[in-house]
Amino acid sequence: MARNTVQPQLMTGDVVPVLWLCGPPGVGKTAVGWEIYSELIRSGVQTGYVDVDQLGMCYPEPAGDPGRHRMKTRNLNSVIAGYRAAGARCVVVSGVVDARQGVHRDELTQVALTVCRLRADEEQLAQRFVGRQGHDGGLAQALQEAANLDAGAVAEVCVDTSGLTVADVARQVHDRVNGWPWLSDLQGPLSAAEPVHGDSVADDPGAGVDPDGRVLWLCGATGVGKSTIGFQVYLKVLGAGLTAAYIDLSQIGFCGPTPADHRLKAHNLAALWRTYRDAGAQALVLVGPAEDESALAVYGGALPASAVTVCRLHAGRDTLTSRIMLRGQGRGSWPEPGDPLVGKPTAHLLSVAGQAAQEAEALERAAIGCRIDTDGYTIAEITDMVVARTGWPGQLPARHA
């Protein structure tokens, strides 16, 4: 593979430099993207990160958008707008692109985009894919996608990751994408940014049209199982014949080193839900923390036309500790991009568990939402309890093509 480099034009004002790492499943897009994002925030550059695959969790997919690539790019544009308003000077994106058409650049506004494709030799890609999945189901499709990407021209620069560590690949990307804003001219104090309000999405197409529909929000303390249970509920909704979407609030709020607040996540939530409603979604399963009624109000302001049901998962100290220790060992239900617990030492995980127990106690006092006790129950049992206790999503008619 020939060495190639690009020197993207650094933009100023309202235009945000965006680096999109693409490639076949298993090549390491998320790991490398997170490494670059972490490097930037350690350097003091206010930076956003998003895994674009998190921006298209809406099924069945629209007939005219196979792979939901246009949907994902439209949502990405909204998330970048939120990060821009929160002061981000650049955004790192990881995720798949259409091997035939590349990025739907017509969906992106106020963005200076550089696409970097990651590849690997077939043998190594297969090894990584199976290692991540734990089985070879879908491997043939992943290898075919890799071949299609190798044959296409979807990126300005390509980095061969064969035989390299994540840190090595990040350095290769750094070298090949010369002039991207990990340089010192984008470091230092940030200028004051306009605040992001949960009920304002003025930068987004269709702003002012409040999405309606049914929303189930699963909240609770760190480690209680919000994402695990939420996704199982989502699968049940799809199984009932509904067009439905799934959003994890943590995945649309990566912006640092100044952390994202509820207003930024609410801004991005409203924009994504609008896109999903336009695609025919009737129901949304939402997961993420809410510490009190004021936090709920921020998100409620972003979704004023939607019927929102809040369900609070609860667990005691021992259960929370056990679940957090499993996540630290990489044995959680799914490999969450940017999971802050994976690989952390035992002492740190125990500290997080103690804080989670305090969160759970505070949520008990606040008594928000419909409470579901998860101690001693399996994932399937908790999922059934959530559906039974909330009556969600109710008697919505199935949509037919």
Side-chain angles (χ1 to χ4, degrees), residues 34-256:
W34 190 260
E35 177 75 13
I36 292 172
Y37 167 70
S38 300
E39 175 190 348
L40 285 161
I41 62 174
R42 284 194 298 267
S43 299
V45 179
Q46 187 72 11
T47 306
Y49 169 81
V50 63
D51 180 342
V52 78
D53 298 328
Q54 296 288 321
L55 306 183
M57 301 183 75
C58 181
Y59 294 90
E61 65 186 21
D65 188 17
R68 305 170 314 287
H69 295 293
R70 185 168 292 279
M71 173 191 291
K72 293 175 186 177
T73 310
R74 186 172 300 156
N75 279 338
L76 174 63
N77 193 57
S78 298
V79 171
I80 292 171
Y83 288 162
R84 180 193 303 121
R89 296 182 172 188
C90 56
V91 176
V92 179
V93 179
S94 63
V96 299
V97 301
D98 190 323
R100 295 170 301 174
Q101 300 183 47
V103 175
H104 292 281
R105 294 173 183 260
D106 58 309
E107 296 286 355
L108 298 173
T109 59
Q110 295 180 283
V111 166
L113 177 66
T114 301
V115 181
C116 177
R117 179 169 65 89
L118 305 183
R119 71 168 309 280
D121 294 339
E122 183 174 299
E123 180 179 353
Q124 188 152 132
L125 182 61
Q127 184 179 33
R128 293 177 189 174
F129 182 89
V130 174
R132 186 186 72 174
Q133 299 287 109
H135 55 78
D136 63 0
L139 175 59
Q141 182 178 351
L143 294 177
Q144 183 59 56
E145 183 174 344
N148 292 341
L149 287 168
D150 278 343
V154 302
E156 289 87 359
V157 63
C158 177
V159 172
D160 193 324
T161 70
S162 302
L164 301 180
T165 66
V166 170
D168 289 337
V169 177
R171 283 191 290 269
Q172 289 278 348
V173 174
H174 186 291
D175 292 343
R176 303 288 178 86
V177 187
N178 296 325
W180 206 72
W182 35 58
L183 302 181
S184 59
D185 59 347
L186 284 187
Q187 297 176 11
L190 294 172
S191 59
E194 290 296 321
V196 175
H197 298 288
D199 58 356
S200 173
V201 285
D203 292 332
D204 299 325
V209 180
D210 295 325
D212 55 6
R214 301 290 297 274
V215 178
L216 175 65
W217 182 0
L218 272 68
C219 63
T222 301
V224 76
K226 299 180 291 293
S227 298
T228 300
I229 303 303
F231 197 75
Q232 292 303 310
V233 173
Y234 172 57
L235 293 178
K236 278 187 172 290
V237 175
L238 293 179
L242 299 177
T243 299
Y246 175 89
I247 297 175
D248 186 333
L249 287 173
S250 68
Q251 296 298 316
I252 57 173
F254 289 126
C255 192

Side-chain angles (χ1 to χ4, degrees), residues 11 46 79 89 151 173 193 276 278 290 303 305 327 341 346 380 389:
M11 309 298 287
Q46 187 72 11
V79 171
R89 296 182 172 188
V173 174
Y276 294 149
D278 289 345
L303 305 174
R327 272 180 57 183
L341 301 181
T346 298
R389 289 282 303 279

